[in-house]
Amino acid sequence: MEMLPDPVTNLLNLQVLVLKYSRSLKELPRYIKKLVNLKHLVFDENMDLLTHMPKGIGELKSLQTLPTFMVGKSSSSSNNKTVGAGLDELKGLNALRGELNIKNLVNAEFPSTDVYVLKKKLHLQSLILDWSPQRYVSDDDDNVRSTSTHAEGILEMLWPHPNLKKLMIRGDYYGLLELPNWLPNWLSSLVNLVEFSLIDCLQSEHLPPLHQLWCLKKLKIDNCPELKGINNDADRGDHCDPSPNSSTTEEKDDELPHFHCLAYLSLQNCPKLTLMPTFPSIEGELRLVSTSLKPLVRTMKMRRGGRQVVHSDEYTNSAFEEYDDADTALLPRPSSHLALPLSKLTDLTLNGIDDDLELLPGADFSSSCLISLQQLCVWSCSHGLKLPSSLCSSTSLTIITIGWCDRLEYLPPLHELVSLRELFIEGCPSLKGCWWKKKGNHDHSDPLMEEEDGEEADEEEWPHFRCLSSLKIKDCPNLTQMPLFPNLEVELKLWRTSTEALVRTMKMKVATTNHHDSQKHTSSAATMTNSYYSSSSSSSCTALLTPPLSNLTKLSIRGIDELHYIPEDGLRHLTSLQDFVIKNCSSLASLPPAMHCLTSLQTLYIRRCPQLAERCRKEEGEDWPNISHIPNILLDGEALQDYSGLGSLKMQYLCNKFS
């Protein structure tokens, strides 16, 4: 249905009109103004064919719900009339509440008199100003000036009520390089604004001082490639140019304002944005994608009174010795968010960062900063990347994701992270291994590769992750030297990488004790583990109390041509394994008799392993007796066995799941 029948407008007492799943609808009723009692007009935002609101919609004084208002377009005729309702019809809809998305602002016409269409909408909570699709202006100065003036007028028309809590500006509003001088007043009047998003503003170079929004908790800036600063006019200039390590910058950093209660910050595709208020109070997620690292560095190096910030419990009167008593009384005492910048941050994402991560202050992953960080994602950072060794001082970090860092060669000693549960490494072709301390060596300057006599270290000499539960390594062909992982429980994926660490892990020895020693070990297992990990020589490894990988439930090995065998002694310990996937391993010749020990195994999936395919043929292959007890066996897409009664659809689901 492309249009509602006109008789709908004869329902004069109609209060609610819901248009759901009507993507083919092109136009609302032309005489909608007759529905004077209408309170709620609801329709899907994905109604792409609906391009404008009908004229007269501004007469619905009782209307409370209108999710989207589409500005009508000027007619090409000489009378210059608009097709549909113009922006000025919003002026009378002062009962609107909730969210309002104003689309097609590129069609908005500047009125002859001052018109504020939003200022009296005190119940409006969320506002989206959408200039998409973008209108590009010519390079002619007069046209640019005329268009900019027009855009300033439209922005002034859209001045919201101070009760607004969420604001999004999307699209390049007529190519404005600078926002109007009065816009800081426009924004600062929004004293209750909690969320602000700026998206696809391709020309803007500066934003007003957003730190003056005292209630702002969430800030998102996306795809603003020319944006250089979030500041006052007085702050512009050389402030953002020096290197963040220079003394000049450190002195000026002390003068930078900061966001007061910002809890979430996302900066994406803003490579020139180097000058902005610091953000010490973030307590949720910080996302920096294809942008500069300098704002983060400045925040981590925040100073107070010319001094580096320290723990609040380390503050003493000596911090104020340079001031007289009268001056000291006027100084604000250290607050928790100033004493510990980013101390509440839990999730940090760095994606496509050109700056070297070594610019991050050295001690700031330790107890003096980022003490609450739980998730770290480093993605597509290829410019001389080297992760700081201080990363391993964190006691809260549980998930690390590292991907597509082409020049990354070594990782810090990640096994020292006492809370690390999940580790995912993908697409790092130069990655060789991890640093850790050799016996008698008290620095992390060299990775442990081989002993001095040229022989590889025994498994007892290799450190292992304390509580790592899930490990995924993909497309890291040179990663051969890394801590072992005997305590995995959830999943192990090794795709197109080395299996040396897996073989070493499977060969780890289990402690043998008598009855008295067994009781002693049982009662003090945690103590022994803690003492081991707190030891200065973390490269020495005690024997395990349980067999390696005995709690692992999923194992996936793919694209490893160098894998010729699976150690039988280690395989027999995988008694909790439920899913076993082997794919594109052309050199793997057989599955050993120890497969009988995998009593929990439910599904075996084998694909593109020619030698295994021949040996695992049902009733005929040499290895069939070793796997015949497994309920579900899939070989090159064919179900050899379905003892679980899953049926063809379920088996096909498993094929798709593991393929």
Side-chain angles (χ1 to χ4, degrees):
M1 182 172 60
E2 295 183 355
M3 182 181 300
L4 289 179
D6 285 338
V8 170
T9 59
N10 294 329
L11 304 174
L12 302 182
N13 293 319
L14 188 67
Q15 295 187 15
V16 180
L17 177 58
V18 178
L19 304 173
K20 289 287 187 179
Y21 311 109
S22 304
R23 298 193 62 179
S24 60
L25 192 67
K26 292 184 177 181
E27 189 174 344
L28 294 177
R30 286 170 290 181
Y31 302 106
I32 198 172
K33 64 181 180 180
K34 295 168 60 177
L35 302 176
V36 292
N37 291 307
L38 190 64
K39 292 184 178 180
H40 306 284
L41 175 57
V42 181
F43 51 87
D44 295 327
E45 289 190 10
N46 58 0
M47 295 169 60
D48 300 329
L49 300 180
L50 185 62
T51 59
H52 60 273
M53 298 287 102
K55 290 185 177 181
I57 194 173
E59 298 182 28
L60 303 181
K61 306 298 183 181
S62 300
L63 194 61
Q64 299 178 11
T65 302
L66 181 64
T68 303
F69 183 93
M70 300 172 183
V71 181
K73 188 175 183 179
S74 296
S75 172
S76 58
S77 60
S78 58
N79 56 17
N80 199 31
K81 292 183 178 180
T82 59
V83 177
L87 185 61
D88 56 335
E89 291 216 32
L90 275 173
K91 183 179 180 181
L93 302 180
N94 292 329
L96 288 179
R97 60 190 65 218
E99 178 176 325
L100 174 61
N101 183 355
I102 306 179
K103 289 187 174 182
N104 300 341
L105 278 168
V106 290
N107 299 333
E109 295 296 327
F110 188 61
S112 57
T113 58
D114 291 340
V115 176
Y116 294 98
V117 299
L118 300 176
K119 263 193 173 183
K120 294 184 179 181
K121 293 174 175 50
L122 67 162
H123 299 296
L124 201 61
Q125 299 291 300
S126 177
L127 176 63
I128 300 177
L129 305 179
D130 194 342
W131 267 265
S132 304
Q134 300 150 357
R135 178 191 293 177
Y136 296 99
V137 298
S138 68
D139 295 331
D140 182 78
D141 290 341
D142 293 336
N143 288 339
V144 171
R145 186 181 303 109
S146 174
T147 304
S148 298
T149 303
H150 181 93
E152 290 186 22
I154 298 301
L155 278 172
E156 189 168 9
M157 285 179 64
L158 297 169
W159 196 310
H161 190 277
N163 287 350
L164 192 70
K165 295 186 179 298
K166 299 180 182 180
L167 173 64
M168 175 187 292
I169 299 178
R170 180 189 293 273
D172 209 7
Y173 31 86
Y174 297 88
L176 279 178
L177 297 181
E178 304 286 344
L179 292 179
N181 293 330
W182 46 260
L183 191 59
N185 297 328
W186 192 96
L187 279 174
S188 62
S189 69
L190 305 179
V191 292
N192 295 298
L193 195 67
V194 176
E195 297 184 16
F196 178 58
S197 300
L198 186 71
I199 301 175
D200 296 335
C201 296
L202 306 181
Q203 304 296 323
S204 297
E205 296 182 0
H206 292 277
L207 291 179
L210 300 180
H211 66 280
Q212 295 179 1
L213 301 173
W214 287 82
C215 294
L216 190 65
K217 292 186 177 181
K218 186 174 182 178
L219 174 61
K220 179 179 180 180
I221 303 177
D222 188 1
N223 196 28
C224 300
E226 298 301 321
L227 185 62
K228 298 178 181 179
I230 304 174
N231 48 5
N232 289 311
D233 290 339
D235 295 330
R236 302 175 188 174
D238 298 334
H239 199 359
C240 60
D241 295 335
S243 166
N245 288 331
S246 66
S247 58
T248 302
T249 299
E250 289 184 0
E251 292 175 0
K252 292 184 177 181
D253 286 346
D254 296 338
E255 304 171 3
L256 281 176
H258 65 268
F259 290 103
H260 304 280
C261 60
L262 195 66
Y264 172 91
L265 174 63
S266 175
L267 304 175
Q268 301 189 49
N269 194 23
C270 303
K272 298 181 180 180
L273 179 56
T274 58
L275 178 61
M276 63 178 294
T278 53
F279 36 87
S281 60
I282 291 182
E283 57 186 35
E285 183 179 5
L286 171 61
R287 291 177 53 83
L288 301 179
V289 180
S290 298
T291 190
S292 173
L293 198 64
K294 294 178 181 179
L296 174 59
V297 173
R298 289 193 175 102
T299 299
M300 296 177 75
K301 297 175 69 174
M302 282 184 65
R303 293 172 175 267
R304 184 173 181 80
R307 302 173 182 267
Q308 196 74 26
V309 293
V310 294
H311 282 292
S312 57
D313 56 3
E314 294 176 356
Y315 271 96
T316 61
N317 291 332
S318 60
F320 301 92
E321 288 176 352
E322 55 193 283
Y323 302 102
D324 296 333
D325 291 341
D327 295 332
T328 304
L330 300 176
L331 289 174
R333 306 306 294 181
S335 61
S336 58
H337 73 274
L338 286 180
L340 289 171
L342 301 178
S343 62
K344 296 181 180 180
L345 180 66
T346 60
D347 193 340
L348 174 61
T349 297
L350 305 175
N351 188 341
I353 303 297
D354 289 335
D355 300 320
D356 195 332
L357 297 191
E358 284 193 300
L359 291 175
L360 295 176
D364 287 315
F365 281 97
S366 63
S367 58
S368 63
C369 194
L370 299 179
I371 58 175
S372 300
L373 189 65
Q374 298 177 13
Q375 299 187 41
L376 173 65
C377 178
V378 180
W379 206 260
S380 299
C381 300
S382 58
H383 182 70
L385 176 66
K386 183 178 178 183
L387 294 175
S389 59
S390 59
L391 170 70
C392 300
S393 302
S394 173
T395 59
S396 58
L397 197 56
T398 59
I399 301 175
I400 295 181
T401 301
I402 301 172
W404 304 106
C405 299
D406 298 340
R407 298 174 62 181
L408 179 64
E409 294 187 3
Y410 293 104
L411 295 173
L414 300 180
H415 64 280
E416 294 182 359
L417 291 166
V418 296
S419 299
L420 187 63
R421 299 284 297 173
E422 299 180 22
L423 176 61
F424 179 26
I425 307 174
E426 177 179 7
C428 299
S430 302
L431 184 61
K432 300 176 182 178
C434 297
W435 282 302
W436 58 78
K437 302 172 185 176
K438 294 182 181 180
K439 290 182 178 180
N441 187 2
H442 297 290
D443 59 44
H444 298 294
S445 58
D446 297 309
L448 177 59
M449 290 295 196
E450 297 180 352
E451 295 296 321
E452 293 182 358
D453 58 6
E455 298 181 359
E456 288 191 356
D458 295 334
E459 281 67 41
E460 289 85 352
E461 299 296 327
W462 291 75
H464 63 260
F465 293 100
R466 171 191 288 201
C467 59
L468 192 67
S469 181
S470 178
L471 175 63
K472 303 176 186 178
I473 302 177
K474 300 180 181 180
D475 297 300
C476 300
N478 297 310
L479 180 55
T480 58
Q481 314 293 328
M482 65 175 295
L484 308 185
F485 35 84
N487 300 317
L488 294 183
E489 296 179 354
V490 177
E491 186 175 21
L492 171 61
K493 284 185 178 180
L494 299 176
W495 295 6
R496 295 174 294 276
T497 188
S498 172
T499 58
E500 290 188 25
L502 172 61
V503 173
R504 290 192 180 99
T505 299
M506 284 184 161
K507 291 182 178 180
M508 292 181 70
K509 296 179 180 179
V510 181
T512 56
T513 60
N514 56 34
H515 178 71
H516 175 74
D517 290 337
S518 177
Q519 291 181 334
K520 180 179 180 181
H521 278 292
T522 302
S523 62
S524 60
T527 303
M528 184 181 75
T529 305
N530 290 336
S531 63
Y532 159 66
Y533 276 96
S534 61
S535 171
S536 61
S537 180
S538 59
S539 63
S540 61
C541 181
T542 59
L544 300 175
L545 299 181
T546 58
L549 301 177
S550 59
N551 295 318
L552 183 65
T553 59
K554 297 180 181 180
L555 173 60
S556 179
I557 301 175
R558 299 191 184 187
I560 305 178
D561 293 332
E562 296 77 14
L563 181 64
H564 296 276
Y565 73 99
I566 299 176
E568 185 166 5
D569 291 342
L571 186 64
R572 69 177 67 253
H573 296 314
L574 275 62
T575 54
S576 299
L577 195 66
Q578 299 178 16
D579 296 330
F580 191 6
V581 177
I582 307 172
K583 185 177 179 181
N584 294 337
C585 297
S586 58
S587 300
L588 186 59
S590 65
L591 294 177
M595 292 289 293
H596 279 294
C597 300
L598 308 186
T599 55
S600 299
L601 190 60
Q602 296 297 308
T603 303
L604 174 63
Y605 179 93
I606 301 173
R607 189 173 182 86
R608 295 174 186 167
C609 302
Q611 298 189 60
L612 279 187
E614 182 68 22
R615 295 178 62 92
C616 293
R617 287 182 302 164
K618 188 172 184 178
E619 307 295 350
E620 299 177 2
E622 296 181 46
D623 290 345
W624 179 253
N626 301 335
I627 63 174
S628 60
H629 66 286
I630 303 172
N632 308 301
I633 302 177
L634 297 97
L635 178 61
D636 289 329
E638 179 185 357
L640 299 185
Q641 199 150 264
D642 182 16
Y643 285 167
S644 298
L646 298 178
S648 59
L649 292 179
K650 288 289 187 179
M651 295 298 284
Q652 184 62 43
Y653 165 76
L654 290 177
C655 287
N656 296 335
K657 174 183 177 182
F658 296 128
S659 62

